[in-house]
Each structure stands twice: as C-alpha cells, then as structure tokens.
Amino acid sequence: MTHFFSSDFKLGILGGGQLGKMMLYDTRKFDIQTYVMDANPEAPSKLACNHFEVGSLMDYDKVMAFGKKVDLLTFEIESVNVKALEDLEALGKKVYPSADTLKKIQNKAVQKTFYHSNQIPTAKFEIFSNLTALKKAVSEENISLPFVWKSSTGGYDGKGVSVVKSEKAISELPDVECIAEDLVDFKTEIAVIVSRSVSGEIKTYPVVEMEFHPEANQVEYVLCPARINENVTNKARDLAQKVSSKFEHVGLLAVEMFVTKTDDVLVNEVAPRPHNSGHFSIEGSFTNQFEQHLRAILDLPLGSTESKTNSVMVNLVGDENHTGDVIYEGIEKIMAMPGVTPHIYGKRETRPFRKMGHVNVIHSELSEARAIAETVKSKIKVISKKS
Amino acid sequence: MTHFFSSDFKLGILGGGQLGKMMLYDTRKFDIQTYVMDANPEAPSKLACNHFEVGSLMDYDKVMAFGKKVDLLTFEIESVNVKALEDLEALGKKVYPSADTLKKIQNKAVQKTFYHSNQIPTAKFEIFSNLTALKKAVSEENISLPFVWKSSTGGYDGKGVSVVKSEKAISELPDVECIAEDLVDFKTEIAVIVSRSVSGEIKTYPVVEMEFHPEANQVEYVLCPARINENVTNKARDLAQKVSSKFEHVGLLAVEMFVTKTDDVLVNEVAPRPHNSGHFSIEGSFTNQFEQHLRAILDLPLGSTESKTNSVMVNLVGDENHTGDVIYEGIEKIMAMPGVTPHIYGKRETRPFRKMGHVNVIHSELSEARAIAETVKSKIKVISKKS
C-alpha cells in the first residue's frame, strides 16, 4: 500500500489561496510532501508547502508540467485548466476531484442542466449564449423581471451574479454566456459539506446556516447547526448526499441550498473543495474540513463530522473605505473573549470587501455564539495603516 | 501599539523541532512573520516559517546574530546559549521567557535550589560538583541508596536521569555536576501548564496525568483531566501558579509534579515552553498551548484554557527494534476510530524510542478515551521500511 506520511509521496495542490493554506496545516500535521502552484508569487500557501511554483492555473502547459511532478493532484479553486486535468488523468495521474466533476461544476449552465437531468430540485432557469439572446427573451416576455443573472463561467464571491430588476440593468451586464434563474423567495440559505472518499465512503457535516451581508452579497456569518427544523435538516442532508453521489465526487463538496417559505429545499450551487461554510469545523468539529478533504482524496478512512460544540463563523472582510497595508484594529479586544479564535489569511493588502480572514466563535449555546459573533464584528475593523 | 498580524513584526524562534513546528501553525493562522534557527538543516520547523537558518543554539555568535534580526525572541528548547540571550536583552531586545528564567531552569541544581529558597515543595536533594564527591557522600552514608541521580545540565527525555540502586551503578555515571534526589514514593505523576503574559495575566490549563512507559522512562499517555480528587487538583494548580509567579515567567511553563501516597504535591521539574503534557490541547482545549504561548509572549489577552471535551494523548515513539526510513503501520486503522487525530512530527528516520509524533483521542468520557488510546497504541507501529 501507499505510505503518505513522511514518505516520497507527493501531493500537488493547484491554487495557493487561504483554502490551500489552511489545507497545508493538515498536510504538515501528517507530514505529507506538498507541491503548490499559484499565479501570485506571494500567495498565502507559499509558506508551509515543500515546493512552491509560480504559474497560471489556466495555462495548459504549466498545469501539465506541474501535474507530472506529483503523485496526486487536487485543487483549492475551480478556475483550473480542465483540459490539462483530463490529459493528466489519461496519462494515469490521479486527480481528485476528477476533471469530469470539475467540468460539470465550473460552468453554471452545465451545472444547472446536470441538476435538471438528475431530478435534483433547483430554481428554474434558462440558458442564453450571449446578452443579445437574453435581451430578446426578456423583450418577448419569455423571461420576466426580476430574475437572477449568472455568468456561466468565472463567478466567485458575489461576482458574476446579479439580481436584475429592470431592462436597463440588463444592458450593463457583460456579453457572455449566462443563465437567468427564478428569484427564489427563500427564508434561509443553508449549506452542507459532503465528504466522499475514493472508495465511496460518505460523511456529511451538519447543516449550517449562512447569513449574508446585505450590500456585499457575501456570507457574513455561518451558524452550525442551522436554526431549522429536523424535517428540513434531513431533507438537506439527503439532498446534499444525492448531489455528491450523482457527481461521483471525491473530496469535499460544499452544497449551497435555499430553504423556501414552504420548507422546500433547492440546490443553489456547489463547490468541489473546502469552503467558507466549513471553516467553523476548525474549532467546532471532531475533524476539520481540510483534514477531511485530505482523508477523502488519499482514500484514508473519513473522520467524524460531529461537532464538539456549537459555533458561529464570522468573515473578516476589508472595510469598504480602506485600501492598503492591512491593520486588524481591535483584534486584542476580540481575542480577550472566550471561545473566539481569529484566522488571518496572510494577505498584506486590504481592499473593500476582500476576504482577509475569519473568526470562529464556539459556545455550548448557539444563540450565545451568535451574539458574541456580532460583538466580534463590531469590535474588529479591517482597515489600512495610516501613512 | 505594535501590530503583529500581516505586518513587518518579526518573531524569532530558537529551535526547529516538533514544538516549534506546531507553534508555527498558529503563527501562520495569525500571519506573524517568523524566523527560525536550528542546527539541523532538515528540522521539522523548516517548512511553515518565513526564514529558516542553520546554526547551533549553543553558539554565542550565531544566537546574537539571529536575535538582532528579530523583534522578539522565544525558544522551543532549553539548550540555548543564555549569555547571548542576556546580551540581547541588554541591547533592548525582548526575550520571552527571559534569560534569567531560563538560566534558573537550565541547570537542575540551580532549579532545585530555587524551589528550596522559595518554599516550593520538592523532593529532598543534594548537589555534587562531580562524581567523586557523590561517591564520597554515598560511602560516608550521607546519601543512602536508592536515590535519583540527575545531571545538572543537558538532561532531556529520560536522558541525564537515572535511578541508582547500587554502588556499582554509581561508577557507570558520567563525571559531571549532579544532584542526588530522594526517590519519591508517588502514586501519580501530574502536570499543569501555566500561561503568563508579559502584563502578568495568568491562566492555567487543567491538571493532567502522565502515565509512563515502564522501560523507556518516557510519557506514554497524558490524560486530561487527571484522575485525582479536587483537593489535590486545587493544590497542584495553586502550586504551579506559585512556581510561575516566582520565576516571573512569561510564556508557557509546564510544571511536572508528583502526588505522594499521602496526597502531598511536590514539584519535580519545569519546562519553560510548550510541552508534551499539553499536546492534548490541540484537539481538546478552547485554546491550544502553542497559540497560548504566542498570546503570552506577544502580550495579547490569554485564551480560555477550558476543555471542549476530555482527552488522552498517546506518544508515538519509534519501535525499539527499528532504525531507518519510517512507516506508520496501521495508521489507517487508527484514523477510522472517531475522535482520533494523529500528529506526525516530520522526522524521516525512526530510531528506538524516538518521539515521532503523537495521537490525540477525544471523547466525552475519559475512561472511553483512555481505552481507545490503548487500542491506538496496539494498532499502530512506528517501524522502518523493509528494504
């Protein structure tokens, strides 16, 4: 059998952002050799991997050359050259999640079609090859306002997504392939992280609740567990498992869902990697999501996904009025609060709404954790140094 | 005020072993710039620090040059050139724990004398400047057999310590300054980790119980909390705090103690750094010991030392019959057990009784955790690769 720990085995990670960085803590804990590639020479993952190289993840030749150096390839971001992953697989290289899974997820039109073909409940949608086609459908009243516009590719953190309320707003959209989706009248947004190993062992984390920042369209708080009834909880976990199985996904799959006013659960979108909605697990769970991803792709037994305690995660994003060298003002104040742990991603420069870190709050009472999280949010400011 | 997170502030760590490596995970979490020096070019800490350099920690010039590069200096091992630390302090450099504290602890004769002068209960002892003086005392029956011999300097992990039962055994001891200590008829060995910040804030971790391997004289299991009564618990915590205050210690101080058959608590020895008896805290505590050490030396508020759940730590040491490239045989089996997390230190080569890693077992029931720990021990073998 393969020995991963303190051996010659090499794990490659495409992408060197905060998700890769946090995954690397666990590779160190297991002493697995790691190779990381990222376009940014100062990527947060640069430290803590064995070998770091600079290269665009969309560059076919770079990804091929990188993939050939390692025994197993994974990624921490979806914007990866899939053709290269396919060709590496054809050469016998292990790639988890697979190129096929990533391909289905990378393009939102393909992803939505996949749900439709597999009887996975999701908001109604239509695909348009360009802006002209979309405009035509609206003017012919095949699509009615308001609707959710999503670019088929390249969306991330609220980019590439827009709620369209007027015909005028349509003209301001980029001319790309897109989908127009029914605006779901949901009461809660939830997520479930499913872990699935190469051998097919499956474990799901508890259903979490995501509270969004009203302006930035970014998740502000993640609560574990979600404040929903048992019926919805079970429905959400079953649905997330179904999605994972249908994708034949290996690794972590974060399944984001809407709970409608009638307690229906609809899949919004998925991410085939560790996810913001799973950061609570670092302090809150028996096995954190990054360790679990490693266990899944290395085909080790999955760890327990039970919670040690309830938790709330707060995203730390750059203040909207600041750009420049970052200061975490008030961080000593939040560190004095019991059960509060800041996680700083290692980005030197702050920008409005840039994800700079997160704070986990653990407490035996969820409502207490949620209250502390709000205090944390009010006491810490991610701003730039005064010059 | 000083900004530590994603800033130009530089923390220097003398020593690059597993303790430094685990401390570095938390510097990464906070994005603190780190400089590490170790004599071994392949030290486990090499990954995960910003700057690594090779150098002996006992070399005055090396330590001075290294210390001048950083804003604050700490260490993960006691064998450091103290003269250099003193001179760095004289130049205004912050060194935590201080040179003075380390000096009192580094030499066991000085350490024991310190306890004596400060009314800290400890086993009775006498100091001898060399082997001849010790032999003379035994032959003149000022010292009676059996007794515990300890080298004043250089002891570590059961080295430099010996239980002397016969006059013949004395001749086999090295000719160095030493102490002869009464053999304490103890029922339990316990430890308390005290954290004390620059400002003097103090928090103690729960009292833990150490179970020793009968042959290797190494800790095999650490149980949190210790299975002792409340009276002894309180006595031990108070005593540990007193020791920390008397040393005016900054950072973590691991205080190892004996519980005698009459429930007296005696200080055995201390370590001014993160310690094996605190590894349970990684999965078990609200704040792990490494993060707490950083908080203390950076004068940030200390974190909660409460436990999330009960835990038992198992040391993973090299099998006594194996030397060479390491394999962790059976590690998949232990990873399938819920609440079991292996921590591998990153040493490529195993040797008999070498500390190669540890495994944390968490469970709401301590007795269950202890039982699982024994299963872990029986299922995993730290052996060398068959060639």
Side-chain angles (χ1 to χ4, degrees):
Chain A
M1 65 164 294
T2 314
H3 297 287
F4 306 115
F5 306 83
S6 302
S7 74
D8 290 325
F9 180 87
K10 292 175 190 68
L11 170 68
I13 305 172
L14 292 165
Q18 64 263 23
L19 299 172
K21 181 192 169 199
M22 290 185 275
M23 198 191 301
L24 284 169
Y25 300 159
D26 294 286
T27 65
R28 294 273 53 82
K29 189 170 83 184
F30 290 164
D31 196 33
I32 296 166
Q33 273 199 63
T34 45
Y35 284 57
V36 171
M37 184 164 83
D38 195 281
N40 174 6
E42 296 304 325
S45 289
K46 188 182 177 179
L47 301 171
C49 62
N50 296 70
H51 297 274
F52 179 78
E53 55 189 86
V54 178
S56 162
L57 307 183
M58 295 309 290
D59 181 321
Y60 176 87
D61 294 328
K62 289 271 188 194
V63 175
M64 282 302 284
F66 179 78
K68 284 177 183 170
K69 291 178 196 165
V70 301
D71 297 300
L72 193 161
L73 197 59
T74 190
F75 45 85
E76 57 109 52
I77 186 166
E78 290 93 320
S79 313
V80 170
N81 189 304
V82 176
K83 180 75 176 83
L85 298 188
E86 285 173 334
D87 290 355
L88 285 165
E89 283 175 344
L91 293 172
K93 195 65 72 180
K94 286 179 186 172
V95 180
Y96 298 125
S98 71
D100 182 58
T101 302
L102 180 58
K103 214 169 161 178
K104 284 178 188 139
I105 291 170
Q106 252 185 355
N107 183 304
K108 283 184 184 161
V110 176
Q111 193 186 135
K112 290 286 286 190
T113 306
F114 181 82
Y115 298 145
H116 187 73
S117 330
N118 285 283
Q119 291 84 48
I120 291 164
T122 188
K124 271 178 64 187
F125 68 100
E126 291 218 36
I127 302 171
F128 299 96
S129 55
N130 54 43
L131 200 59
T132 313
L134 174 63
K135 279 180 181 165
K136 187 161 173 285
V138 175
S139 67
E140 289 173 0
E141 296 182 1
N142 293 327
I143 297 285
S144 56
L145 295 164
F147 64 86
V148 180
W149 170 89
K150 288 180 180 174
S151 166
S152 288
T153 56
Y156 191 74
D157 266 358
K159 288 167 213 153
V161 178
S162 188
V163 177
V164 177
K165 293 173 184 163
S166 67
E167 285 208 39
K168 185 171 164 286
I170 301 175
S171 311
E172 287 158 17
L173 295 169
D175 185 17
V176 294
E177 192 199 60
C178 64
I179 59 174
E181 211 179 78
D182 277 8
L183 191 60
V184 177
D185 189 18
F186 61 85
K187 58 179 182 189
T188 318
E189 290 196 63
I190 58 174
V192 171
I193 291 181
V194 184
S195 51
R196 188 169 176 279
S197 76
V198 180
S199 303
E201 184 186 5
I202 292 188
K203 279 191 180 160
T204 59
Y205 280 88
V207 182
V208 299
E209 179 180 341
M210 297 180 291
E211 287 188 49
F212 280 74
H213 184 280
E215 287 152 51
N217 194 27
Q218 274 185 330
V219 176
E220 194 166 17
Y221 302 108
V222 172
L223 288 75
C224 178
R227 295 165 296 188
I228 54 176
N229 67 45
E230 207 186 318
N231 170 36
V232 177
T233 301
N234 292 336
K235 221 189 274 185
R237 273 185 119 145
D238 289 351
L239 183 55
Q241 285 208 21
K242 182 178 175 185
V243 174
S244 165
S245 298
K246 290 290 179 189
F247 275 122
E248 291 178 9
H249 182 268
V250 172
L252 295 191
L253 189 73
V255 184
E256 298 186 57
M257 292 168 276
F258 297 119
V259 181
T260 69
K261 299 218 159 128
T262 52
D263 276 354
D264 285 321
V265 180
L266 304 178
V267 172
N268 179 18
E269 56 182 49
V270 299
R273 50 170 171 79
H275 191 254
N276 193 264
S277 66
H279 289 346
F280 75 91
S281 65
I282 302 175
E283 271 81 26
S285 303
F286 270 61
T287 311
N288 79 59
Q289 65 166 343
F290 302 100
E291 178 177 334
Q292 193 77 319
H293 183 71
L294 294 172
R295 286 173 178 246
I297 64 176
L298 297 173
D299 208 16
L300 291 164
L302 297 179
S304 164
T305 51
E306 269 180 76
S307 296
K308 291 177 190 168
T309 173
N310 291 325
S311 51
V312 175
M313 186 225 46
V314 188
N315 273 322
L316 286 185
V317 299
D319 184 282
E320 55 189 318
N321 301 312
H322 286 260
T323 296
D325 280 358
V326 70
I327 290 178
Y328 297 90
E329 197 180 81
I331 198 163
E332 331 69 50
K333 287 184 200 134
I334 71 160
M335 288 177 78
M337 300 155 71
V340 169
T341 310
H343 294 263
I344 304 298
Y345 294 158
K347 299 169 185 175
R348 190 70 182 244
E349 189 175 311
T350 183
R351 291 194 295 268
F353 301 114
R354 187 178 195 195
K355 277 189 188 163
M356 300 297 286
H358 70 266
V359 177
N360 279 342
V361 181
I362 57 172
H363 201 285
S364 54
E365 292 300 322
L366 185 63
S367 56
E368 264 305 306
R370 179 63 183 75
I372 295 169
E374 207 158 311
T375 310
V376 164
K377 193 85 190 175
S378 73
K379 290 214 182 292
I380 191 165
K381 297 270 170 276
V382 183
I383 59 176
S384 57
K385 221 180 278 184
K386 283 165 201 83
S387 50
Chain B
M1 68 162 293
T2 315
H3 297 287
F4 307 116
F5 305 84
S6 300
S7 74
D8 289 325
F9 180 88
K10 293 175 189 68
L11 170 68
I13 305 171
L14 292 166
Q18 63 263 23
L19 299 173
K21 181 192 167 198
M22 290 185 274
M23 199 193 299
L24 286 169
Y25 300 159
D26 293 286
T27 65
R28 295 273 53 82
K29 189 169 84 183
F30 291 164
D31 197 34
I32 296 166
Q33 273 198 63
T34 46
Y35 284 57
V36 171
M37 185 164 83
D38 195 280
N40 174 6
E42 295 305 324
S45 288
K46 188 181 177 178
L47 301 171
C49 62
N50 296 71
H51 296 274
F52 178 80
E53 54 190 86
V54 178
S56 162
L57 307 183
M58 295 310 290
D59 182 323
Y60 176 86
D61 294 328
K62 289 271 187 194
V63 174
M64 282 301 285
F66 179 78
K68 284 178 184 171
K69 291 179 196 167
V70 302
D71 298 299
L72 193 161
L73 196 58
T74 190
F75 46 84
E76 56 108 52
I77 185 166
E78 289 93 319
S79 312
V80 170
N81 189 305
V82 177
K83 180 76 179 80
L85 298 188
E86 284 173 334
D87 290 354
L88 285 164
E89 283 176 345
L91 293 172
K93 196 65 73 180
K94 288 179 183 170
V95 179
Y96 297 126
S98 71
D100 182 59
T101 303
L102 180 58
K103 214 169 161 180
K104 285 179 188 138
I105 291 171
Q106 252 185 357
N107 183 305
K108 284 184 184 161
V110 177
Q111 193 186 135
K112 290 286 285 190
T113 306
F114 182 81
Y115 298 145
H116 188 72
S117 330
N118 285 283
Q119 289 83 48
I120 292 163
T122 187
K124 271 178 62 186
F125 67 100
E126 292 216 34
I127 302 172
F128 300 96
S129 54
N130 55 42
L131 199 59
T132 312
L134 174 64
K135 280 181 182 166
K136 186 162 174 282
V138 175
S139 68
E140 291 172 359
E141 293 181 5
N142 294 327
I143 296 286
S144 58
L145 294 164
F147 64 86
V148 180
W149 169 89
K150 289 180 180 174
S151 167
S152 288
T153 57
Y156 192 73
D157 266 0
K159 287 165 212 152
V161 178
S162 187
V163 176
V164 176
K165 294 174 185 163
S166 66
E167 286 208 39
K168 185 171 164 284
I170 301 175
S171 311
E172 286 158 19
L173 295 170
D175 185 15
V176 292
E177 192 200 58
C178 64
I179 58 175
E181 210 179 79
D182 275 9
L183 191 60
V184 177
D185 190 19
F186 62 84
K187 58 179 181 188
T188 319
E189 290 196 62
I190 59 175
V192 171
I193 290 181
V194 184
S195 51
R196 187 170 176 277
S197 75
V198 180
S199 303
E201 185 186 4
I202 293 189
K203 280 191 178 159
T204 57
Y205 280 87
V207 182
V208 300
E209 179 180 342
M210 298 181 290
E211 288 188 48
F212 280 73
H213 184 280
E215 287 152 53
N217 194 25
Q218 273 185 331
V219 176
E220 194 166 18
Y221 303 107
V222 172
L223 288 75
C224 178
R227 296 166 296 189
I228 54 176
N229 67 46
E230 207 186 317
N231 170 36
V232 177
T233 300
N234 293 337
K235 220 188 279 185
R237 274 182 118 145
D238 291 349
L239 183 54
Q241 285 207 19
K242 181 178 177 185
V243 174
S244 165
S245 300
K246 291 288 179 192
F247 276 122
E248 291 177 12
H249 182 267
V250 171
L252 294 190
L253 188 74
V255 184
E256 298 186 58
M257 291 168 277
F258 297 119
V259 181
T260 68
K261 298 217 159 128
T262 53
D263 276 354
D264 286 319
V265 180
L266 304 178
V267 172
N268 180 17
E269 58 182 45
V270 300
R273 50 167 170 80
H275 191 255
N276 192 266
S277 66
H279 290 346
F280 75 90
S281 65
I282 302 175
E283 271 81 26
S285 303
F286 270 59
T287 311
N288 78 58
Q289 65 165 344
F290 303 100
E291 178 178 332
Q292 192 78 320
H293 183 71
L294 294 172
R295 287 173 177 245
I297 62 174
L298 297 173
D299 208 16
L300 290 163
L302 297 179
S304 164
T305 51
E306 270 182 75
S307 296
K308 292 178 189 168
T309 173
N310 292 325
S311 53
V312 175
M313 187 225 46
V314 188
N315 273 321
L316 286 185
V317 299
D319 185 282
E320 56 189 317
N321 301 311
H322 286 259
T323 296
D325 280 358
V326 68
I327 291 178
Y328 297 91
E329 197 180 83
I331 197 162
E332 331 70 49
K333 286 184 201 135
I334 72 160
M335 289 177 78
M337 299 156 74
V340 170
T341 310
H343 294 263
I344 304 298
Y345 295 157
K347 300 169 185 174
R348 191 69 183 245
E349 189 176 308
T350 183
R351 292 194 293 269
F353 301 114
R354 188 178 194 194
K355 277 190 187 163
M356 300 297 286
H358 69 266
V359 177
N360 279 343
V361 180
I362 57 173
H363 201 286
S364 53
E365 292 299 323
L366 185 64
S367 56
E368 265 304 306
R370 179 62 183 76
I372 294 169
E374 205 159 315
T375 311
V376 163
K377 193 83 189 175
S378 72
K379 290 213 182 292
I380 191 165
K381 297 268 170 277
V382 183
I383 58 174
S384 58
K385 221 180 275 183
K386 283 164 203 83
S387 49

